[in-house]
């Protein structure tokens, strides 16, 4: 429907569309062709990964202590067996012979070059391989080339069940209560009985995300479960309605917002399974539903975050976080009595985090100590505390560099193994593995080669596989011992075939932030036909965080989203990790705390201006910006706040006003909502896009899914309403019945984004027809 204020575009499932046209006559514009788009999309094909030879594609430590990995070659995968003691490296089995035997068994031709196996396990003693193919399990005897069906005896559990460590029980939710199922007998036992709607056990609902699986943590000996009862009574709800013929389907769920009087709280409980099931409620006030690593208390698979069992299950340690994340309180509960004692408490001016995507605090039972992570000196470091007194014994790591993840603690040798960034010269986002003694002595870089390192420890932590790369250099894999000594060279990836396919190497860059002092790092993509005498519009990809940046990693990648693909249409694409994103110092991350409307945009502008001085083909009169979710918020903000720099924006599913997004997010990065009674203004006004929508000058395409249960579409509708009131012209695509990522509409959205750039920055017409299959 078209109004005199705006062109509103609604996409239906037939993918018919009324797309707005520029005021310019189409006859004045050059037409891009289907061939142009097709050539560009070749640069985003996953098939490019297949052109990398000698790259490790899977790896597994075997029960006998050896290491099995597969590597990609021009003729298919090869499987290599490595003995870390003897340093011997041999071919585990002949994949061509296996493919031939499998062809005979299945009575169809299977080419070894295209054969992809899953769940591969190998026994050198029996020369036997077990694997999955086509949804079935097989056993291959390499001695006589025979293949038989293989019965997988591992416990079968549904995606909503939590398997106990001993593999005998599976915990799940049914009718607001927690149950367990005996894996062998299928007998089901109810563990809690008073759970009701809005006051239920182990529920996986954080507002912005929700699921049917339980949130809990099994004790090591499988006789106890740590979980909680979520109190959602009185918490406000979020509403979505479907698009269909007839009555729409209402989707409603509890979803607290910043400033709400009632938000989620949890009552911590321990359930005992030795004998008749019983429950112990911890003797403490209810906690806010917060964690120190993410804006949820559920990790992958529903793991209860910030919780740690003692080895014998007699004690449960956990961290209670304040509603605004400024206080982290380490506590220990007696699992039988429910008594809780305080160990230590840390308070910050902004927000406390205990690590990067994983907690770095751990209790040491043998020595009665605690390893604690803190950014109190502006850098993420490890500290040693006395568990009894809560007194600080030692700062273990120190310096202007940041510990990222604590991977292993050896209490016997009193050594810590952790990743960190910024200690070595060069890009601080390159992660290295270090070892240090509990007293802070003997700090060693175990991975000295420059780059981002991926680590895979052996079960006994005596060895590890180190795979490292940079944006420019493809992966190299080596085997090292716990002291960092190289045991064996494994593989060095070869990108000869990739380069021969017109692959374009991204450019890693280092510039200064808006303050002209702070180093920023990013990646730029130039078209293969780039010339310094040419003129290329700039496309700025942005994801402002604050929990992550625009560049998620600085390792090698054959394909990075559609960055190179869209560059091939005639653009220069730039992404940079601005101030306000993690992985550096605390002050770097805190830079725009309390002002999320900043979004790091001034740093993006400073980056583009500096790059343009070196790359003369960049046209700063034609700069576009795009992003999704937080990036949708930021890209729209850029067009409103800097209308003379950014001329075009494509904004997807943005959280344009965090008062309309879940409480945990906004209250962590913006602070608790405060309203001035006299003026009616709030401390959230500086991040609300709709309040500056009247500044729009350029071209804006806003998109959202009508059933987005992560960032509710009301966020975008606030901006749409403000633009209409301001009599601004813009474009809007609403994807009916689609969630946050647009589902089966994703390719369609990619196409429309490309069309928008072509039309409004290249001043050309996109191809009239182009198969979405190419995306």
């Amino acid at each position: 429907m078209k109004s005199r204020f705006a062109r509103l575009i609604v996409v239906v499932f037939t993918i018919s569309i009324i797309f707005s046209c520029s005021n310019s006559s189409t006859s004045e514009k050059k037409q891009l062709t289907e061939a142009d788009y097709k050539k560009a999309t070749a640069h985003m094909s996953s098939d490019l990964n297949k052109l990398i030879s000698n790259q490790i594609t899977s790896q597994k430590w075997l029960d006998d202590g050896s290491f099995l990995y597969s590597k990609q070659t021009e003729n298919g995968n090869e499987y290599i067996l490595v003995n870390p003691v003897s340093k011997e490296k041999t071919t585990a089995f002949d994949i061509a012979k296996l493919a031939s035997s499998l062809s005979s068994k299945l009575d169809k031709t299977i080419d070894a070059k295209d054969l992809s196996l899953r769940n591969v396990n190998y026994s050198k003693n029996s020369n036997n391989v077990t694997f999955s193919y086509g949804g079935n399990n097989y056993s291959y005897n390499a001695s006589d080339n025979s293949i038989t069906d293989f019965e997988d005896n591992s416990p079968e559990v549904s995606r909503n069940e939590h398997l106990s460590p001993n593999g005998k029980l599976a915990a799940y939710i049914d009718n607001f209560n927690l149950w367990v199922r005996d894996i062998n007998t299928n007998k089901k036992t109810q563990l809690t009985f008073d759970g009701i709607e809005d006051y239920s056990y182990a529920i996986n609902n954080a507002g912005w995300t929700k699921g049917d699986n339980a949130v809990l943590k099994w004790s090591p000996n499988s006789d106890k479960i740590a979980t909680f009862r979520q109190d959602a009574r009185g918490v406000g709800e979020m509403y979505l309605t479907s698009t269909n013929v007839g009555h729409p389907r209402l989707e409603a769920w509890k979803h607290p917002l910043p400033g709400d009087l009632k938000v989620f709280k949890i009552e911590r409980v321990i359930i005992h399974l030795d004998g008749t099931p019983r429950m112990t409620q911890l003797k403490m006030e209810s906690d806010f539903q917060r964690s120190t690593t993410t804006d949820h208390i559920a990790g992958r698979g529903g793991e209860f975050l910030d919780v740690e069992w003692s080895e014998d299950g007699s004690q449960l340690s956990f961290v209670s976080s304040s509603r605004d994340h400024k206080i982290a309180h380490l506590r220990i509960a007696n699992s039988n009595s429910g008594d809780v004692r305080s160990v230590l408490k840390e308070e910050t001016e902004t927000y406390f985090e205990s690590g990067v995507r994983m907690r770095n605090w751990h209790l040491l039972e043998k020595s009665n100590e605690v390893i604690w992570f803190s950014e109190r000196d502006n850098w993420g470091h490890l500290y040693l505390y006395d568990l009894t007194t809560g007194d600080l014994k030692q700062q273990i790591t120190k310096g202007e560099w940041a510990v990222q993840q604590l991977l292993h603690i050896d209490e016997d040798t009193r050594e810590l193994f952790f990743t960190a960034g910024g200690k070595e010269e060069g890009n601080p986002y390159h992660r290295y593995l270090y070892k240090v003694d509990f007293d802070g002595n003997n700090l060693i870089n175990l991975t000295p080669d420059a780059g981002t390192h991926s680590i895979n420890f052996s079960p006994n932590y005596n060895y590890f596989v180190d795979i490292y790369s940079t944006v420019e250099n493809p992966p190299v894999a080596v085997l090292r011992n716990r002291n960092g000594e190289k045991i064996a060279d494994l593989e060095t990836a070869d990108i000869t075939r990739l380069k021969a396919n017109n692959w374009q190497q991204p450019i890693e860059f280092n510039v200064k932030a808006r303050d002209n002092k702070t180093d920023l790092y990013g990646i730029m993509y130039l078209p293969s036909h780039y010339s310094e005498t040419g003129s290329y519009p700039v496309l700025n990809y942005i994801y402002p965080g604050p929990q992550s940046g625009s560049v998620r990693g600085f390792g090698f990648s054959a394909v990075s989203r559609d960055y190179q693909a869209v560059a091939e249409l005639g653009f220069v694409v730039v992404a940079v990790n601005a101030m306000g994103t993690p992985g550096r110092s605390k002050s770097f991350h805190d830079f725009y705390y309390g002002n999320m409307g900043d979004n790091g945009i001034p740093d993006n502008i400073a980056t583009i201006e500096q790059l343009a001085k070196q790359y003369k083909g960049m046209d700063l009169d034609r700069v576009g910006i795009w992003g999704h979710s937080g990036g949708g918020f930021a890209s729209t903000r850029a067009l409103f706040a800097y209308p003379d720099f950014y001329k075009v924006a494509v904004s997807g599913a943005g959280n344009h006003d965090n008062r309309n997004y879940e409480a945990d997010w906004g209250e962590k990065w913006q602070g608790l909502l405060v309203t001035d009674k006299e003026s009616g203004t709030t401390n959230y006004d500086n991040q609300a896009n709709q309040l500056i929508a009247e500044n729009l000058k350029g071209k804006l395409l806003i998109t959202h899914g009508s059933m987005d249960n992560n960032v509710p579409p009301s966020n975008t509708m606030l901006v749409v309403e403000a633009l209409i009131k301001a009599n601004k012209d813009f474009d809007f695509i609403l994807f009916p019945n689609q969630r946050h990522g647009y589902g089966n509409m994703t390719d369609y959205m990619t196409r429309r984004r490309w069309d928008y750039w072509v039309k409004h920055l290249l001043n050309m017409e996109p191809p009239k027809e182009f198969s979405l299959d190419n995306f």
Side-chain angles (χ1 to χ4, degrees):
M1 182 179 69
K2 186 181 284 190
S3 74
R4 68 187 184 94
F5 300 113
R7 290 186 279 271
L8 301 183
I9 305 164
V10 179
V11 182
V12 298
F13 278 117
T14 59
I15 314 188
S16 62
I17 181 170
I18 304 174
F19 202 82
S20 63
C21 296
S22 169
N23 291 329
S24 302
S25 170
T26 58
S27 62
E28 299 173 357
K29 295 186 176 184
K30 179 182 176 182
Q31 177 92 39
L32 279 187
T33 67
E34 180 177 351
D36 293 324
Y37 267 39
K38 188 172 183 179
K39 183 178 179 180
T41 56
H43 289 268
M44 59 191 288
S45 170
S46 60
D47 289 341
L48 291 175
N49 292 299
K50 299 177 182 179
L51 299 178
I52 305 176
S53 298
N54 302 326
Q55 177 175 231
I56 290 182
T57 54
S58 69
Q59 49 181 304
K60 181 183 183 70
W61 286 96
L62 304 178
D63 292 339
D64 63 2
S66 59
F67 178 70
L68 177 71
Y69 71 89
S70 63
K71 69 173 182 177
Q72 184 173 268
T73 74
E74 192 170 352
N75 297 313
N77 282 328
E78 292 183 9
Y79 288 82
I80 309 298
L81 186 68
V82 182
N83 185 321
V85 177
S86 67
K87 304 180 183 180
E88 181 183 16
K89 189 173 74 168
T90 59
T91 299
F93 54 90
D94 190 324
I95 191 68
K97 291 182 179 180
L98 186 152
S100 177
S101 297
L102 188 59
S103 297
S104 298
K105 178 172 179 59
L106 301 181
D107 195 23
K108 68 176 184 177
T109 301
I110 298 175
D111 191 341
K113 186 176 181 179
D114 301 321
L115 180 58
S116 178
L117 306 179
R118 300 183 62 190
N119 305 319
V120 178
N121 206 346
Y122 175 70
S123 172
K124 185 176 181 180
N125 292 334
S126 61
N127 206 14
N128 190 73
V129 184
T130 59
F131 63 93
S132 299
Y133 175 77
N136 296 311
N137 300 314
Y138 300 97
S139 177
Y140 170 67
N141 189 315
S143 299
D144 60 11
N145 291 322
S146 62
I147 285 189
T148 58
D149 293 329
F150 172 70
E151 184 177 350
D152 186 358
N153 294 319
S154 58
E156 292 187 10
V157 295
S158 72
R159 66 177 185 85
N160 291 333
E161 293 181 317
H162 288 257
L163 186 66
S164 60
N166 63 12
K168 295 181 179 180
L169 296 172
Y172 63 98
I173 297 175
D174 185 15
N175 197 27
F176 313 115
N177 284 289
L178 195 64
W179 294 61
V180 291
R181 178 177 65 87
D182 188 295
I183 295 296
N184 294 322
T185 66
N186 205 39
K187 179 183 177 182
K188 299 176 181 179
T189 303
Q190 188 169 354
L191 302 179
T192 66
F193 296 87
D194 55 347
I196 58 174
E197 187 175 8
D198 300 336
Y199 196 28
S200 56
Y201 288 93
I203 186 171
N204 190 349
N205 181 20
W208 70 275
T209 184
K210 53 189 173 70
D212 296 328
N213 59 320
V215 181
L216 54 86
K217 195 174 187 70
W218 281 96
S219 64
N221 53 13
S222 303
D223 67 343
K224 299 180 186 69
I225 294 174
T227 188
F228 57 89
R229 191 179 189 187
Q230 184 195 64
D231 190 353
R233 295 172 297 180
V235 172
E237 292 190 336
M238 186 61 63
Y239 306 102
L240 300 172
T241 57
S242 64
T243 299
N244 52 265
V245 176
H247 295 287
R249 173 178 57 84
L250 172 67
E251 186 173 322
W253 73 102
K254 295 293 183 176
H255 190 296
L257 300 176
D260 282 358
L261 181 64
K262 295 272 191 177
V263 297
F264 292 140
K265 301 195 78 174
I266 59 171
E267 299 168 3
R268 299 178 183 270
V269 299
I270 294 173
I271 298 171
H272 302 257
L273 300 175
D274 49 344
T276 303
R278 60 187 177 88
M279 183 174 71
T280 298
Q281 184 163 335
L282 302 194
K283 297 175 182 178
M284 58 177 287
E285 70 282 4
S286 57
D287 265 337
F288 287 101
Q289 186 169 305
R290 302 286 186 267
S291 76
T292 63
T293 57
T294 182
D295 48 346
H296 195 7
I297 54 173
R300 181 167 296 180
E303 179 190 4
F304 195 4
L305 297 177
D306 270 333
V307 171
E308 184 175 82
W309 280 103
S310 62
E311 189 173 344
D312 63 0
S314 63
Q315 293 189 137
L316 182 74
S317 55
F318 58 94
V319 170
S320 299
S321 295
S322 60
R323 176 170 174 170
D324 57 9
H325 290 270
K326 293 183 178 181
I327 300 175
H329 190 182
L330 177 62
R331 294 164 158 173
I332 297 179
N334 182 299
S335 60
N336 289 312
S337 67
D339 292 332
V340 178
R341 73 177 181 89
S342 173
V343 177
L344 62 93
K345 184 183 292 186
E346 181 160 342
E347 185 169 0
T348 70
E349 294 183 1
T350 54
Y351 49 85
F352 176 87
E353 294 184 309
S354 69
V356 179
R357 290 184 289 277
M358 66 180 291
R359 65 180 172 90
N360 286 331
W361 65 264
H362 294 276
L363 267 62
L364 310 176
E365 297 182 61
K366 293 181 180 179
S367 57
N368 204 37
E369 295 169 311
V370 177
I371 301 292
W372 186 251
F373 175 89
S374 173
E375 296 177 291
R376 66 188 61 169
D377 68 358
N378 194 39
W379 298 91
H381 283 300
L382 301 173
Y383 295 77
L384 184 66
Y385 278 83
D386 186 288
L387 184 57
T388 301
T389 65
D391 293 336
L392 175 64
K393 299 179 68 174
Q394 176 77 47
Q395 181 173 350
I396 301 172
T397 61
K398 61 182 63 177
E400 294 186 355
W401 49 276
V403 171
Q404 302 296 312
Q405 295 184 337
L406 179 56
L407 300 182
H408 176 59
I409 301 172
D410 191 324
E411 291 193 62
D412 294 327
T413 63
R414 293 181 70 78
E415 294 175 315
L416 303 176
F417 296 78
F418 62 91
T419 59
K423 191 176 187 307
E424 312 305 320
E425 290 186 8
N427 190 329
Y429 295 98
H430 285 160
R431 304 300 181 225
Y432 296 84
L433 178 68
Y434 297 86
K435 181 176 70 168
V436 69
D437 295 341
F438 280 17
D439 60 8
N441 293 323
N442 299 317
L443 176 62
I444 303 172
N445 179 1
L446 303 176
T447 53
D449 300 285
T452 291
H453 293 257
S454 172
I455 307 301
N456 181 8
F457 276 106
S458 63
N460 60 11
Y461 287 91
N462 286 333
Y463 304 95
F464 64 91
V465 177
D466 171 20
I467 303 178
Y468 59 93
S469 68
T470 66
V471 171
E472 296 87 3
N473 302 313
V476 175
V478 298
L479 179 65
R480 300 182 183 275
N481 64 19
R482 62 181 287 137
N483 296 318
E485 298 165 339
K486 186 163 64 174
I487 300 300
D489 291 306
L490 300 179
E491 301 296 338
T492 297
D494 183 348
I495 59 172
T496 301
R497 291 186 297 141
L498 188 64
K499 289 181 175 179
N501 202 59
N502 195 34
W503 177 76
Q504 299 299 307
Q505 181 174 288
I507 299 171
E508 180 184 312
F509 61 79
N510 169 214
V511 296
K512 296 298 182 182
R514 69 187 84 175
D515 60 5
N516 294 317
K517 296 184 299 182
T518 306
D519 285 316
L520 299 180
Y521 294 82
I523 303 178
M524 179 170 60
Y525 302 80
L526 300 178
S528 58
H529 48 79
Y530 175 81
S531 168
E532 286 288 86
T533 60
S535 178
Y536 305 87
V538 180
L539 292 179
N540 184 188
Y541 171 75
I542 190 168
Y543 188 86
Q547 88 288 5
S548 62
S550 299
V551 182
R552 301 297 174 95
F554 286 86
F556 184 86
S557 178
V559 182
S560 295
R561 303 181 185 238
D562 66 339
Y563 300 153
Q564 187 61 46
V566 75
E568 290 300 305
L569 296 179
F571 300 93
V572 172
V573 179
V574 175
V576 65
N577 283 347
M579 290 196 289
T581 58
R584 303 277 292 275
S585 66
K586 174 70 170 167
S587 56
F588 188 96
H589 195 187
D590 281 357
F591 186 78
Y592 60 76
Y593 172 82
N595 180 21
M596 279 195 289
D598 180 286
N599 277 310
I601 300 168
D603 292 326
N604 280 264
I605 294 174
T607 294
I608 294 170
E609 290 176 336
Q610 289 171 71
L611 291 174
K613 293 177 181 179
Q614 181 178 356
Y615 297 90
K616 305 298 184 181
M618 295 173 63
D619 185 354
L620 297 195
D621 289 328
R622 294 183 292 164
V623 180
I625 187 169
W626 93 97
H628 185 80
S629 195
F633 169 37
S635 56
T636 302
R637 187 76 179 190
L639 209 60
F640 292 171
Y642 303 92
D644 294 327
F645 186 83
Y646 290 103
K647 304 304 194 299
V648 183
V650 176
S651 163
N655 49 311
H656 298 284
D657 187 338
N658 286 283
R659 287 172 292 190
N660 272 36
Y661 192 47
E662 62 104 5
D664 194 12
W665 174 264
E667 291 176 346
K668 179 177 181 178
W669 310 112
Q670 187 76 11
L672 299 179
L673 179 63
V674 179
T675 303
D676 184 280
K677 293 183 179 180
E678 292 186 5
S679 65
T681 60
T682 79
N683 60 319
Y684 274 62
D685 291 355
N686 61 10
Q687 56 80 57
N689 278 349
Q690 74 274 12
L691 298 184
I692 58 171
E694 62 186 16
N695 295 341
L696 175 66
K697 292 182 180 179
K699 296 293 184 179
L700 172 63
L701 170 59
I702 311 175
T703 68
H704 219 116
S706 71
M707 296 294 285
D708 189 336
N709 55 2
N710 181 325
V711 180
S714 60
N715 281 268
T716 285
M717 299 313 294
L718 285 170
V719 174
V720 168
E721 181 183 41
L723 289 168
I724 293 173
K725 288 180 178 179
N727 197 19
K728 297 294 181 177
D729 186 35
F730 64 99
D731 297 289
F732 177 37
I733 301 177
L734 181 68
F735 292 94
N737 301 320
Q738 297 302 304
R739 299 294 192 183
H740 195 54
Y742 303 148
N744 60 355
M745 298 284 190
T746 303
D747 291 345
Y748 180 89
M749 182 58 230
T750 303
R751 164 69 196 273
R752 291 305 163 208
R753 177 162 52 83
W754 285 25
D755 289 350
Y756 215 70
W757 302 139
V758 168
K759 186 173 224 171
H760 296 301
L761 287 173
L762 288 181
N763 196 33
M764 300 170 70
E765 282 298 321
K768 289 183 168 53
E769 293 184 6
F770 182 68
S771 173
L772 292 175
D773 293 339
N774 286 283
F775 283 91

